[in-house]
Amino acid sequence: METITVRIRQDAERFTPQEEEALQWAGRVIKNGGLAAFPTETVYGLGGDALDRESSRKIYQAKGRPQDNPLIVHICRFEDLEKIVSRVPEEAVRIAEAFWPGPLTMILEKSERVPSETTGGLKTVAVRFPSHKAAQKIIEYAGGFVAAPSANTSGKPSPTLAKYVAEDLEGRIDMIVDGGQVGIGLESTIVDLTVSPPQILRPGYITKEMLGRVLGHVDTDAGSLGADSGQAPRAPGMKYRHYAPLGELVIVEGEADSAADYINRQTAADHMAGEKTGVIGSREYLDRYHADVIKCAGSREDEAGIAHSLYRILREFDDEGVTRIYSESFVCSGFGQAIMNRLLKAAGHRVVKL
Ligand code: AMP
Ligand code: MG
């Protein structure tokens, strides 16, 4: 299959006639049962018609995604929510008012209209209303309900640039809408509203504190946080190794000087053993490290910046053939929790505590 790529300006709020045509084209591809990747404010999504079981099958196939890992249905109007869920609880209205359109996904009981292929056999459905204007237009042109998991090969870091979508999916999907670099760089927060109190199944830009202010008490699924919990995560997708670079990644936790000493000893030994070594460090500590490739994740003070660059850095290590990667550990509160959640999964939970 030939994959057609069209370009639109990054983060455009209004579109030129050519861009409008491109978005319409992508919407039509999805409406006709094809797959089109497009930017959202979180990461690039791979869109297919969420109400068509054959389209959902195609998504799993293109990504090599396990069939029990359900898809998020993207909508472009709040009113459309009631068409795909059996009931809209009052909590859903409140968090939609606070955070939609935006990087928040809610889990609700599904209606008959959503095929079980889309929800990986579950009776619940994940729904998000993205704020990205081009994504909204594509969803509208596609008929209003677009299943759009991250547009990467299953297991790899989610794409933050169209070229990473092409690397993974060229020849396997109909179209890529290239809208430049995405804004947030990590996937949406997922909150399950079918349990009481509501539970965060995947941390993201919308933090537990932000949700708590609107909903009162909110729990975090213990299984989503780490291997130590001994509990299976409740979002099926969170159980798989994910976001992973090809090289082996280890997170080093400890005071800055001893962490740098440890990392430098390891990279020296690895280098001698013929490995190509890499380090992910913060701007504050970057000059302490020695390795073949050193990548700056940004300032420790700037979580948004770290989130923004994390997946790109992991992919660049692949491109540069790095086989052993060491990363600093970052703060684990607020939005930092989402960063550490992805980093831990990318590392397969290999953490050295000094
Ligand atoms: P992605 O779209 O690639 O960011 O992945 C979607 C994530 O949402 C995966 O971790 C899924 O397991 C999770 N998810 C989707 N639908 C549901 C659902 N009904 N219940 C729990 N988790 C879900
Ligand atoms: Mg994904």
Side-chain angles (χ1 to χ4, degrees), residues 63 65 69-72 107 122 124-126 148-150 187 190 201-202 234-238:
K63 282 180 56 89
R65 181 171 171 116
N69 186 1
L71 309 174
I72 295 174
I107 309 280
L122 298 177
T124 53
V125 61
S150 51
E187 304 82 352
I190 301 180
L201 306 189
R202 177 173 73 183
R234 294 191 51 241
M238 299 297 281

Side-chain angles (χ1 to χ4, degrees), residues 17-29:
Q18 287 91 334
E19 286 172 330
E20 192 72 36
E21 209 173 294
L23 300 174
Q24 211 165 354
W25 186 2
R28 209 164 45 231
V29 162

Side-chain angles (χ1 to χ4, degrees), residues 161 172 224 288 339 354:
L161 290 168
R172 305 172 72 88
S224 76
R288 304 178 185 205
I339 296 169
L354 300 173

Side-chain angles (χ1 to χ4, degrees), residues 126-137:
V127 190
R128 180 163 104 81
F129 177 0
S131 62
H132 195 284
K133 291 284 182 275
Q136 290 178 355
K137 284 265 180 181

Side-chain angles (χ1 to χ4, degrees), residues 147-187:
S150 51
N152 51 285
T153 301
S154 192
K156 296 246 271 170
S158 300
T160 52
L161 290 168
K163 72 169 180 179
Y164 297 138
V165 179
E167 259 174 41
D168 283 12
L169 299 175
E170 181 103 65
R172 305 172 72 88
I173 63 176
D174 299 284
M175 192 169 176
I176 299 173
V177 177
D178 181 348
Q181 187 158 15
V182 296
I184 295 174
L186 293 184
E187 304 82 352

